[in-house]
Amino acid sequence: EKVDANLSMQVEEQCMDMATLTAYLRARPNEDKRRTKHYEGKETPTRLTQQYIKLAEHLAVVFNKPMVDSVSMRIFLKVAMDTSFGPSLKVVQWLCSRNHSGEDVTFQESSGIPTRTMCAWLGMTNDKGTNYLSFLRKLGVLSLRQTGQTGESWFLTERIHNLFLKVLGDIHAI
């Protein structure tokens, strides 16, 4: 049965943005050394977009609304963020959080986060943490840059940073 909740272009765009971000954040490296073929990558955002559009439409029906409204979208975004939970989301949130240097800037806007610190925060050994961060780099979530005093630090790629801020802004706007 087709649910027609009169999706606006803005809602469709939010579903696409969230699906793209979710696909990156749910990706995990294959740690099974017995496998000869490794399919490390992310989900297809198109499939997630379709699922998220259905979720938004059905939430509107549940709340007896003629179209998707802010209440439906708030729940939709909460569910989508919950399905993204894991170490990748933590890394993105840390890089977008305020740096404790005394300035009102994020780690992303200032010095990034060094590998050793990132591994400690993730609760991973340096080897495992470095492998995980390298996987995120391969996916296009992170970049490693030379920084002045701390050597190399991790930063979000511009695409992921902008996407996260856009989705996070949508959460706060609703």
Side-chain angles (χ1 to χ4, degrees):
E1 160 183 355
K2 172 76 173 130
V3 176
D4 185 7
N6 297 321
L7 280 181
S8 69
M9 289 301 290
Q10 180 185 5
V11 170
E12 282 189 40
E13 189 174 314
Q14 284 176 313
C15 288
M16 287 187 286
D17 290 341
M18 193 65 224
T20 302
L21 184 62
T22 300
Y24 280 106
L25 297 180
R26 290 190 345 191
R28 299 288 184 269
N30 184 354
E31 296 179 356
D32 186 356
K33 303 296 183 211
R34 298 171 294 177
R35 299 191 76 176
T36 56
K37 292 184 179 180
H38 296 281
Y39 299 102
E40 293 183 344
K42 61 182 180 65
E43 291 177 76
T44 307
T46 307
R47 186 186 69 78
L48 284 170
T49 298
Q50 292 170 346
Q51 290 179 337
Y52 284 165
I53 287 172
K54 283 182 184 178
L55 175 61
E57 288 174 335
H58 286 89
L59 283 168
V61 171
V62 165
F63 290 114
N64 199 25
K65 302 288 183 176
M67 59 189 317
V68 176
D69 65 351
S70 62
V71 173
S72 300
M73 285 308 293
R74 188 175 314 124
I75 293 170
F76 156 76
L77 289 169
K78 173 73 173 124
V79 168
M81 289 300 287
D82 285 350
T83 67
S84 301
F85 184 76
S88 301
L89 177 59
K90 288 178 184 179
V91 168
V92 173
Q93 288 174 323
W94 291 331
L95 284 163
C96 290
S97 67
R98 196 168 71 79
N99 188 333
H100 308 292
S101 64
E103 300 173 29
D104 193 23
V105 294
T106 64
F107 285 102
Q108 178 72 16
E109 297 164 332
S110 59
S111 60
I113 302 176
T115 301
R116 188 178 225 91
T117 303
M118 197 76 87
C119 292
W121 288 357
L122 286 168
M124 296 180 180
T125 63
N126 279 341
D127 285 344
K128 187 173 180 177
T130 300
N131 288 340
Y132 189 77
L133 296 169
S134 296
F135 169 74
L136 292 178
R137 181 183 187 186
K138 188 171 108 181
L139 279 182
V141 173
L142 295 177
S143 64
L144 189 60
R145 296 187 214 152
Q146 189 67 35
T147 55
Q149 303 161 334
T150 57
E152 292 182 330
S153 289
W154 293 96
F155 293 85
L156 296 173
T157 59
E158 186 176 343
R159 173 179 169 80
I160 298 300
H161 184 241
N162 291 338
L163 194 56
F164 184 76
L165 292 179
K166 185 175 182 183
V167 169
L168 187 64
D170 289 341
I171 289 171
H172 291 303
I174 293 175

